[in-house]
Amino acid sequence: MDQDNNSEVSLGTAGHGSLHTDSEAVELLWQVRAQRRQSSPELPETVTRLTAPDGSLLYLVGTAHFSDSSKKDVATTIRAVQPDVVVVELCQYRVSMLKMDEKTLLKEAKDINLDKVQQAIKQNGVMSGLMQILLLKVSAHITEQLGMAPGGEFREAFKQAGRVPFCKFHLGDRPIPVTFKRAIAALSLWQKARLAWGLCFLSDPISKEDVEKCKQKDLLEQTMLEMIGEFPALHQTIVAERDIYLTHTLRQAARCVEAPPNAQKVPAVVVGVVGMGHVPGIERNWEKELNIQEIMSVAPPSRFGWMLRTVLKAGVIGVLGYACYRAGGGMGRALLSLPAVQSLLDNLRPLPPAAA
């Protein structure tokens, strides 16, 4: 999904009454942006510069999702390079956070209720949906400890992109349902239960020192890595595969653009805003041939052991339900009323005897 902002419209119509054609206004704005763009900008240490084969430039800003300094880094970079495209580590399922204010986001992050559980299960299925809720609990825990809502750097990128003429805004992350379905499919039922239990009892306090570490690395990503370190398959789907997807979308954005007045192709300038944990992977993948279809599919389960997995799944749902109960009050009690859970329970009932 990409979203064209309207900055070129407002900038092109205000204060230029002497211009006779739209093409003249477009050309003037293009020149204004070119003058603002710094050829050798002094950028924060968190910025990595990558070059595409056609000469297009990518300025990759590594951020911490709970850091004011990251917001400043994003603003500094966009103002200095005046990009053609800004790409952020979000997908269409999280785009709403771009327009919410901090107070609303703080409330949303802390308020994990039955409606959110039902929505997650409807989108992702029982197992993936409940796991998504538990991972939201991780984010909510950090939010509560720091008093700071996640995604401030993405909202800053959205705001700054709107101030750059002709700048487009792209969502660069893989859709959440795909990530969670692939993550759950990669784990055994025993691993799912262990992970759910660990998420359920996540309550360690976050110190001022941890907040300072936020400025060097992504606290949410680091917390997740510590929790899933014993599950290599989960790290592969949640981190490594998204590195590949983000690299793909960044390379798509870093293509030559048409410059007025004759639509001549010129190298693009792109700013990418991603969690610091993804920067090394994007650098590694930048010049590799990537297979995106491979990381967008979910393999169907084998028929072997289907009955055993169905029985064990009920036990895992029990653990997940208890975890959700701890995360949000009465959600565990309401879990049994959900259609998806009822369907699973129906599968567990013995089949009627065959007619003679």
Side-chain angles (χ1 to χ4, degrees), residues 152-164:
E153 74 275 33
F154 302 140
R155 290 188 291 281
E156 186 66 27
F158 183 69
K159 179 175 72 175
Q160 294 296 333
R163 296 173 178 175
V164 178

Side-chain angles (χ1 to χ4, degrees), residues 299-324:
S302 65
R303 302 185 67 178
F304 177 74
W306 178 87
M307 182 59 72
L308 175 62
R309 283 197 304 273
T310 303
V311 173
L312 291 177
K313 187 183 288 188
V316 174
I317 287 178
V319 174
L320 292 171
Y322 176 66
C324 287

Side-chain angles (χ1 to χ4, degrees), residues 107-173:
K107 183 176 182 298
E108 287 284 321
K110 296 176 183 178
D111 183 22
I112 302 177
N113 53 36
L114 179 59
D115 287 341
K116 289 185 179 179
V117 175
Q118 290 177 319
Q119 184 178 5
I121 289 177
K122 183 178 180 180
Q123 288 179 351
N124 307 316
V126 175
M127 302 296 290
S128 300
L130 290 178
M131 194 63 71
Q132 179 180 344
I133 289 296
L134 292 179
L135 293 177
L136 283 176
K137 180 177 180 279
V138 177
S139 179
H141 171 65
I142 298 175
T143 296
E144 186 173 6
Q145 292 284 316
L146 300 183
M148 181 187 301
E153 74 275 33
F154 302 140
R155 290 188 291 281
E156 186 66 27
F158 183 69
K159 179 175 72 175
Q160 294 296 333
R163 296 173 178 175
V164 178
F166 309 108
C167 183
K168 294 184 178 181
F169 190 86
H170 290 195
L171 304 176
D173 203 0

Side-chain angles (χ1 to χ4, degrees), residues 22-245:
D22 289 341
S23 61
E24 287 177 325
V26 168
E27 188 174 355
L28 176 60
L29 282 172
W30 190 272
Q31 293 172 359
V32 168
R33 190 184 66 172
Q35 291 170 359
R36 292 177 182 171
R37 181 177 287 172
Q38 300 175 22
S39 57
S40 301
E42 291 187 13
L43 299 175
E45 295 181 355
T46 55
V47 178
T48 301
R49 175 172 151 158
L50 299 171
T51 305
D54 63 8
S56 295
L57 295 176
L58 168 65
Y59 294 93
L60 190 62
V61 188
T63 68
H65 296 320
F66 294 84
S67 170
D68 281 330
S69 62
S70 286
K71 291 162 62 176
K72 294 176 183 176
D73 290 351
V74 169
T76 297
T77 304
I78 293 177
R79 288 170 187 163
V81 306
Q82 295 287 295
D84 298 286
V85 186
V86 170
V87 182
V88 297
E89 183 200 326
L90 288 176
C91 69
Q92 64 266 35
Y93 292 91
R94 292 182 289 161
V95 70
S96 60
M97 74 160 54
L98 292 175
K99 295 187 177 181
M100 285 186 181
D101 57 61
E102 291 282 328
K103 184 177 179 180
T104 303
L105 280 166
L106 280 168
K107 183 176 182 298
E108 287 284 321
K110 296 176 183 178
D111 183 22
I112 302 177
N113 53 36
L114 179 59
D115 287 341
K116 289 185 179 179
V117 175
Q118 290 177 319
Q119 184 178 5
I121 289 177
K122 183 178 180 180
Q123 288 179 351
N124 307 316
V126 175
M127 302 296 290
S128 300
L130 290 178
M131 194 63 71
Q132 179 180 344
I133 289 296
L134 292 179
L135 293 177
L136 283 176
K137 180 177 180 279
V138 177
S139 179
H141 171 65
I142 298 175
T143 296
E144 186 173 6
Q145 292 284 316
L146 300 183
M148 181 187 301
E153 74 275 33
F154 302 140
R155 290 188 291 281
E156 186 66 27
F158 183 69
K159 179 175 72 175
Q160 294 296 333
R163 296 173 178 175
V164 178
F166 309 108
C167 183
K168 294 184 178 181
F169 190 86
H170 290 195
L171 304 176
D173 203 0
R174 183 172 65 178
I176 278 182
V178 176
T179 295
F180 279 104
K181 286 177 182 178
R182 285 184 60 83
I184 292 300
L187 296 178
S188 68
L189 281 166
W190 174 240
Q191 287 176 321
K192 293 170 190 173
R194 288 170 59 200
L195 179 63
W197 194 256
L199 290 169
C200 172
F201 289 100
L202 177 73
S203 58
D204 294 338
I206 298 173
S207 66
K208 292 181 179 179
E209 288 74 20
D210 291 324
V211 178
E212 287 303 311
K213 289 178 184 178
C214 245
K215 297 176 182 177
Q216 282 77 46
K217 59 187 176 182
D218 186 331
L219 183 58
L220 180 57
E221 293 279 355
Q222 182 65 23
T223 302
M224 287 304 306
L225 287 176
E226 290 173 358
M227 292 178 58
I228 66 179
E230 57 184 304
F231 306 114
L234 200 57
H235 179 273
Q236 174 67 22
T237 53
I238 290 180
V239 181
E241 289 184 2
R242 287 172 60 224
D243 289 346
I244 293 173
Y245 192 91

Side-chain angles (χ1 to χ4, degrees), residues 264-293:
Q264 179 184 359
K265 294 282 187 178
V266 297
V269 173
V270 177
V271 170
V273 182
V274 302
M276 247 171 221
H278 292 293
V279 173
I282 292 171
E283 288 187 87
R284 285 194 302 269
N285 292 317
W286 185 246
E287 296 182 357
K288 292 182 179 179
E289 186 174 340
L290 305 177
N291 186 348
I292 296 302
Q293 295 304 318

